Amino acid sequence: MKKLAFLAALGFILTSNVFAQRVDRDNNRNTAYMHERNSRPYRASPEEIAHQKSEELDRRFRLSGSQQRKVEALALRTEREKQDLEKRDRMRGMPEYKYRKEMQRIQNDWEKGLRSILTRKQYDSYRDRWN
């Protein structure tokens, strides 16, 4: 009887750890990754994202100093536009096709700006790698 009680308790303890990460039923997101302060997923700021993008491009394509500054400024502008679009979408309930069209415009502006900053060889390498 003691063995049965011990095994039941052990089974309860082990299975309770499996369900430790709750799922937010409204958004189907894992709440273990939620930002602690405001219970929303952590999202990097546009400045952080722009810096990461410019560092990644610098690491892959060995950008000059002026190229890196221009890429970071372009990435910052692009990320701010994306976040503004997402805020407008949430506030107004923008139809999906309009949201996609606007996001595609932002992406095309990024590509156009990048093409003007990078050398032809760098841009061709970028296109081969990411497209």
Side-chain angles (χ1 to χ4, degrees):
M1 189 65 178
K2 288 181 182 180
K3 286 182 183 179
L4 185 60
F6 175 75
L7 289 175
L10 182 64
F12 176 76
I13 291 170
L14 292 176
T15 57
S16 66
N17 288 335
V18 172
F19 299 105
Q21 295 181 351
R22 292 188 342 250
V23 173
D24 181 5
R25 301 239 184 263
D26 295 335
N27 298 323
N28 291 329
R29 292 190 182 131
N30 189 336
T31 56
Y33 298 104
M34 296 291 187
H35 193 265
E36 296 170 7
R37 224 164 98 208
N38 55 11
S39 298
R40 286 186 288 177
Y42 173 72
R43 177 155 188 182
S45 70
E47 291 79 13
E48 291 171 327
I49 295 171
H51 184 70
Q52 289 172 355
K53 278 186 177 182
S54 68
E55 288 291 321
E56 176 70 16
L57 289 171
D58 180 42
R59 188 174 56 78
R60 293 197 184 267
F61 305 116
R62 296 186 180 125
L63 303 177
S64 68
S66 65
Q67 282 180 320
Q68 190 173 7
R69 284 189 300 276
K70 289 177 184 176
V71 166
E72 191 162 350
L74 176 65
L76 180 60
R77 186 172 63 242
T78 302
E79 288 304 317
R80 284 184 176 158
E81 285 183 33
K82 284 181 182 180
Q83 287 191 6
D84 287 344
L85 176 63
E86 289 171 4
K87 285 178 187 174
R88 282 185 287 164
D89 176 44
R90 278 197 301 267
M91 291 174 72
R92 296 183 191 158
M94 183 183 292
E96 183 69 23
Y97 74 94
K98 285 185 178 180
Y99 178 81
R100 286 178 186 252
K101 187 176 181 181
E102 192 67 22
M103 193 60 83
Q104 186 64 45
R105 182 197 60 77
I106 293 170
Q107 183 63 29
N108 289 340
D109 290 348
W110 162 259
E111 293 280 335
K112 199 180 298 181
L114 206 56
R115 188 179 311 136
S116 69
I117 295 169
L118 300 178
T119 64
R120 184 180 188 100
K121 184 178 177 183
Q122 288 171 330
Y123 186 72
D124 289 343
S125 179
Y126 167 81
R127 293 287 294 185
D128 291 342
R129 184 139 187 105
W130 275 289
N131 292 329

